[in-house]
Short mmCIF file of all heavy atoms in Angstrom, two decimals:
data_model
loop_
_atom_site.label_atom_id
_atom_site.label_comp_id
_atom_site.label_asym_id
_atom_site.label_seq_id
_atom_site.Cartn_x
_atom_site.Cartn_y
_atom_site.Cartn_z
N ILE B 226 -32.48 14.20 10.22
CA ILE B 226 -31.88 15.17 9.30
C ILE B 226 -30.40 15.30 9.61
O ILE B 226 -30.01 15.35 10.77
CB ILE B 226 -32.52 16.57 9.47
CG1 ILE B 226 -34.01 16.50 9.18
CG2 ILE B 226 -31.84 17.59 8.57
CD1 ILE B 226 -34.36 16.55 7.74
N ALA B 227 -29.59 15.38 8.56
CA ALA B 227 -28.16 15.64 8.77
C ALA B 227 -27.74 16.74 7.80
O ALA B 227 -28.18 16.77 6.66
CB ALA B 227 -27.35 14.38 8.51
N VAL B 228 -26.91 17.64 8.32
CA VAL B 228 -26.46 18.78 7.53
C VAL B 228 -24.95 18.68 7.37
O VAL B 228 -24.23 18.44 8.34
CB VAL B 228 -26.82 20.10 8.25
CG1 VAL B 228 -26.38 21.28 7.40
CG2 VAL B 228 -28.30 20.16 8.53
N MET B 229 -24.47 18.86 6.14
CA MET B 229 -23.02 18.83 5.96
C MET B 229 -22.54 20.19 5.47
O MET B 229 -23.08 20.73 4.51
CB MET B 229 -22.64 17.76 4.95
CG MET B 229 -21.16 17.78 4.71
SD MET B 229 -20.56 16.46 3.68
CE MET B 229 -20.42 15.18 4.85
N THR B 230 -21.54 20.72 6.17
CA THR B 230 -20.91 21.96 5.72
C THR B 230 -19.45 21.67 5.45
O THR B 230 -18.90 20.69 5.93
CB THR B 230 -20.98 23.06 6.80
OG1 THR B 230 -20.55 22.49 8.03
CG2 THR B 230 -22.36 23.62 6.93
N LYS B 231 -18.83 22.59 4.70
CA LYS B 231 -17.43 22.38 4.38
C LYS B 231 -16.56 22.40 5.62
O LYS B 231 -15.64 21.62 5.78
CB LYS B 231 -16.99 23.48 3.41
CG LYS B 231 -15.60 23.25 2.91
CD LYS B 231 -15.42 23.77 1.53
CE LYS B 231 -13.97 23.72 1.12
NZ LYS B 231 -13.34 22.44 1.43
N GLU B 232 -16.87 23.33 6.55
CA GLU B 232 -15.98 23.49 7.71
C GLU B 232 -16.20 22.43 8.76
O GLU B 232 -15.26 21.95 9.38
CB GLU B 232 -16.20 24.85 8.38
CG GLU B 232 -15.91 26.05 7.50
CD GLU B 232 -17.02 26.32 6.52
OE1 GLU B 232 -18.19 26.00 6.86
OE2 GLU B 232 -16.76 26.83 5.43
N HIS B 233 -17.48 22.07 8.99
CA HIS B 233 -17.76 21.22 10.16
C HIS B 233 -18.13 19.80 9.81
O HIS B 233 -18.47 19.02 10.69
CB HIS B 233 -18.89 21.85 10.99
CG HIS B 233 -18.59 23.26 11.41
ND1 HIS B 233 -17.56 23.57 12.27
CD2 HIS B 233 -19.14 24.42 11.04
CE1 HIS B 233 -17.52 24.88 12.42
NE2 HIS B 233 -18.46 25.43 11.69
N GLY B 234 -18.14 19.46 8.51
CA GLY B 234 -18.47 18.08 8.17
C GLY B 234 -19.94 17.79 8.42
O GLY B 234 -20.79 18.67 8.34
N LEU B 235 -20.21 16.53 8.76
CA LEU B 235 -21.59 16.07 8.90
C LEU B 235 -22.08 16.30 10.31
O LEU B 235 -21.39 15.98 11.27
CB LEU B 235 -21.66 14.59 8.55
CG LEU B 235 -23.07 14.00 8.43
CD1 LEU B 235 -23.72 14.56 7.19
CD2 LEU B 235 -23.00 12.50 8.35
N ARG B 236 -23.29 16.85 10.44
CA ARG B 236 -23.86 17.03 11.78
C ARG B 236 -25.30 16.53 11.76
O ARG B 236 -26.11 17.01 10.97
CB ARG B 236 -23.80 18.52 12.15
CG ARG B 236 -24.18 18.79 13.59
CD ARG B 236 -23.94 20.25 13.94
NE ARG B 236 -24.97 21.11 13.39
CZ ARG B 236 -26.12 21.40 13.99
NH1 ARG B 236 -26.38 20.90 15.17
NH2 ARG B 236 -27.00 22.20 13.41
N GLN B 237 -25.59 15.58 12.63
CA GLN B 237 -26.97 15.11 12.76
C GLN B 237 -27.71 16.10 13.63
O GLN B 237 -27.21 16.48 14.69
CB GLN B 237 -26.99 13.73 13.43
CG GLN B 237 -26.10 12.71 12.76
CD GLN B 237 -26.86 11.82 11.80
OE1 GLN B 237 -28.00 12.14 11.46
NE2 GLN B 237 -26.26 10.75 11.36
N LEU B 238 -28.91 16.50 13.18
CA LEU B 238 -29.68 17.43 14.01
C LEU B 238 -30.36 16.68 15.13
O LEU B 238 -30.83 15.57 14.96
CB LEU B 238 -30.74 18.14 13.15
CG LEU B 238 -30.22 19.07 12.07
CD1 LEU B 238 -31.36 19.83 11.44
CD2 LEU B 238 -29.21 20.04 12.63
N GLU B 239 -30.45 17.35 16.30
CA GLU B 239 -31.15 16.75 17.44
C GLU B 239 -32.64 16.80 17.19
O GLU B 239 -33.14 17.63 16.44
CB GLU B 239 -30.86 17.58 18.70
CG GLU B 239 -29.41 17.78 18.98
CD GLU B 239 -28.86 16.65 19.83
OE1 GLU B 239 -29.63 16.11 20.64
OE2 GLU B 239 -27.69 16.30 19.65
N GLU B 240 -33.36 15.92 17.90
CA GLU B 240 -34.82 15.89 17.77
C GLU B 240 -35.42 17.24 18.08
O GLU B 240 -36.32 17.70 17.38
CB GLU B 240 -35.38 14.86 18.77
CG GLU B 240 -36.29 13.85 18.12
CD GLU B 240 -36.87 12.89 19.12
OE1 GLU B 240 -37.86 13.26 19.76
OE2 GLU B 240 -36.32 11.79 19.23
N ALA B 241 -34.91 17.87 19.14
CA ALA B 241 -35.48 19.16 19.57
C ALA B 241 -35.31 20.19 18.46
O ALA B 241 -36.23 20.96 18.16
CB ALA B 241 -34.79 19.62 20.84
N GLU B 242 -34.13 20.19 17.82
CA GLU B 242 -33.89 21.15 16.73
C GLU B 242 -34.89 20.93 15.61
O GLU B 242 -35.43 21.88 15.04
CB GLU B 242 -32.49 20.95 16.16
CG GLU B 242 -31.38 21.62 16.95
CD GLU B 242 -30.05 21.39 16.29
OE1 GLU B 242 -29.68 22.19 15.42
OE2 GLU B 242 -29.37 20.40 16.63
N ILE B 243 -35.08 19.64 15.26
CA ILE B 243 -35.99 19.33 14.15
C ILE B 243 -37.40 19.78 14.50
O ILE B 243 -38.11 20.38 13.68
CB ILE B 243 -35.96 17.83 13.83
CG1 ILE B 243 -34.53 17.42 13.47
CG2 ILE B 243 -36.91 17.51 12.71
CD1 ILE B 243 -34.37 15.96 13.21
N ASP B 244 -37.79 19.50 15.75
CA ASP B 244 -39.14 19.93 16.18
C ASP B 244 -39.30 21.43 16.02
O ASP B 244 -40.34 21.92 15.57
CB ASP B 244 -39.36 19.54 17.66
CG ASP B 244 -39.77 18.09 17.78
OD1 ASP B 244 -40.39 17.58 16.82
OD2 ASP B 244 -39.48 17.46 18.81
N ALA B 245 -38.24 22.17 16.43
CA ALA B 245 -38.32 23.64 16.35
C ALA B 245 -38.53 24.07 14.90
O ALA B 245 -39.37 24.93 14.60
CB ALA B 245 -37.04 24.24 16.91
N ILE B 246 -37.77 23.46 13.97
CA ILE B 246 -37.89 23.87 12.57
C ILE B 246 -39.26 23.49 12.03
O ILE B 246 -39.90 24.23 11.27
CB ILE B 246 -36.78 23.23 11.72
CG1 ILE B 246 -35.42 23.64 12.26
CG2 ILE B 246 -36.91 23.66 10.27
CD1 ILE B 246 -34.27 23.02 11.55
N VAL B 247 -39.74 22.30 12.43
CA VAL B 247 -41.08 21.87 11.99
C VAL B 247 -42.12 22.86 12.45
O VAL B 247 -43.04 23.24 11.70
CB VAL B 247 -41.38 20.45 12.50
CG1 VAL B 247 -42.84 20.12 12.29
CG2 VAL B 247 -40.51 19.44 11.81
N ALA B 248 -41.97 23.31 13.71
CA ALA B 248 -42.93 24.29 14.23
C ALA B 248 -42.89 25.56 13.39
O ALA B 248 -43.94 26.13 13.04
CB ALA B 248 -42.59 24.59 15.70
N GLU B 249 -41.67 26.02 13.05
CA GLU B 249 -41.53 27.21 12.20
C GLU B 249 -42.27 27.02 10.90
O GLU B 249 -42.98 27.91 10.42
CB GLU B 249 -40.04 27.41 11.86
CG GLU B 249 -39.37 28.59 12.56
CD GLU B 249 -37.95 28.75 12.07
OE1 GLU B 249 -37.79 29.26 10.94
OE2 GLU B 249 -37.04 28.32 12.79
N ILE B 250 -42.06 25.83 10.29
CA ILE B 250 -42.68 25.57 8.99
C ILE B 250 -44.20 25.60 9.10
O ILE B 250 -44.90 26.18 8.26
CB ILE B 250 -42.20 24.22 8.43
CG1 ILE B 250 -40.71 24.31 8.11
CG2 ILE B 250 -42.99 23.83 7.21
CD1 ILE B 250 -40.10 23.01 7.71
N GLU B 251 -44.72 24.96 10.20
CA GLU B 251 -46.17 24.94 10.37
C GLU B 251 -46.70 26.35 10.51
O GLU B 251 -47.72 26.72 9.92
CB GLU B 251 -46.55 24.14 11.63
CG GLU B 251 -45.91 22.78 11.70
CD GLU B 251 -46.80 21.69 11.14
OE1 GLU B 251 -47.64 21.22 11.92
OE2 GLU B 251 -46.64 21.35 9.96
N ALA B 252 -45.94 27.17 11.27
CA ALA B 252 -46.38 28.55 11.47
C ALA B 252 -46.41 29.28 10.13
O ALA B 252 -47.37 29.99 9.82
CB ALA B 252 -45.44 29.24 12.45
N GLU B 253 -45.36 29.09 9.33
CA GLU B 253 -45.33 29.76 8.03
C GLU B 253 -46.50 29.32 7.17
O GLU B 253 -47.14 30.12 6.48
CB GLU B 253 -44.02 29.43 7.30
CG GLU B 253 -42.87 30.31 7.72
CD GLU B 253 -41.55 29.82 7.17
OE1 GLU B 253 -41.58 29.01 6.21
OE2 GLU B 253 -40.51 30.23 7.69
N LYS B 254 -46.79 28.02 7.24
CA LYS B 254 -47.90 27.48 6.43
C LYS B 254 -49.21 28.11 6.86
O LYS B 254 -50.02 28.54 6.03
CB LYS B 254 -47.99 25.96 6.64
CG LYS B 254 -47.70 25.16 5.39
CD LYS B 254 -48.27 23.77 5.47
CE LYS B 254 -47.16 22.76 5.42
NZ LYS B 254 -47.56 21.41 5.55
N ALA B 255 -49.39 28.17 8.18
CA ALA B 255 -50.64 28.75 8.69
C ALA B 255 -50.77 30.20 8.26
O ALA B 255 -51.83 30.64 7.83
CB ALA B 255 -50.67 28.63 10.22
N ALA B 256 -49.66 30.95 8.36
CA ALA B 256 -49.69 32.36 7.97
C ALA B 256 -50.06 32.48 6.50
O ALA B 256 -50.89 33.32 6.11
CB ALA B 256 -48.33 33.00 8.23
N ALA B 257 -49.50 31.61 5.66
CA ALA B 257 -49.79 31.66 4.23
C ALA B 257 -51.27 31.37 3.98
O ALA B 257 -51.92 32.00 3.15
CB ALA B 257 -48.92 30.66 3.48
N GLU B 258 -51.82 30.39 4.77
CA GLU B 258 -53.23 30.04 4.60
C GLU B 258 -54.13 31.23 4.91
O GLU B 258 -55.04 31.55 4.14
CB GLU B 258 -53.59 28.90 5.57
CG GLU B 258 -53.05 27.54 5.14
CD GLU B 258 -53.75 27.01 3.89
OE1 GLU B 258 -54.98 27.08 3.82
OE2 GLU B 258 -53.03 26.58 2.98
N THR B 259 -53.88 31.91 6.06
CA THR B 259 -54.75 33.03 6.45
C THR B 259 -54.61 34.15 5.44
O THR B 259 -55.59 34.81 5.09
CB THR B 259 -54.40 33.55 7.86
OG1 THR B 259 -52.98 33.77 7.89
CG2 THR B 259 -54.78 32.55 8.92
N ALA B 260 -53.40 34.38 4.93
CA ALA B 260 -53.22 35.45 3.93
C ALA B 260 -54.07 35.16 2.70
O ALA B 260 -54.66 36.05 2.11
CB ALA B 260 -51.75 35.56 3.55
N LYS B 261 -54.14 33.88 2.34
CA LYS B 261 -54.94 33.52 1.17
C LYS B 261 -56.42 33.74 1.42
O LYS B 261 -57.17 34.21 0.57
CB LYS B 261 -54.71 32.02 0.82
CG LYS B 261 -53.87 31.82 -0.43
CD LYS B 261 -54.07 30.49 -1.08
CE LYS B 261 -53.65 29.39 -0.12
NZ LYS B 261 -53.39 28.14 -0.76
N LYS B 262 -56.85 33.35 2.68
CA LYS B 262 -58.28 33.37 2.96
C LYS B 262 -58.79 34.79 3.15
O LYS B 262 -59.93 35.10 2.88
CB LYS B 262 -58.58 32.57 4.25
CG LYS B 262 -58.50 31.08 4.05
CD LYS B 262 -59.53 30.35 4.93
CE LYS B 262 -59.31 28.85 4.87
NZ LYS B 262 -58.41 28.37 5.90
N ALA B 263 -57.92 35.68 3.63
CA ALA B 263 -58.36 37.05 3.93
C ALA B 263 -58.82 37.71 2.64
O ALA B 263 -58.20 37.57 1.60
CB ALA B 263 -57.21 37.83 4.57
#
Side-chain angles (χ1 to χ4, degrees):
Chain B
I226 300 278
V228 182
M229 177 174 277
T230 49
K231 186 149 172 47
E232 298 79 29
H233 304 294
L235 189 70
R236 189 173 76 87
Q237 307 263 13
L238 294 187
E239 306 271 328
E240 232 182 82
E242 278 181 88
I243 302 177
D244 278 332
I246 301 177
V247 169
E249 252 185 76
I250 293 173
E251 310 266 276
E253 277 170 17
K254 245 201 243 178
E258 286 290 315
T259 50
K261 253 203 299 199
K262 285 214 188 91

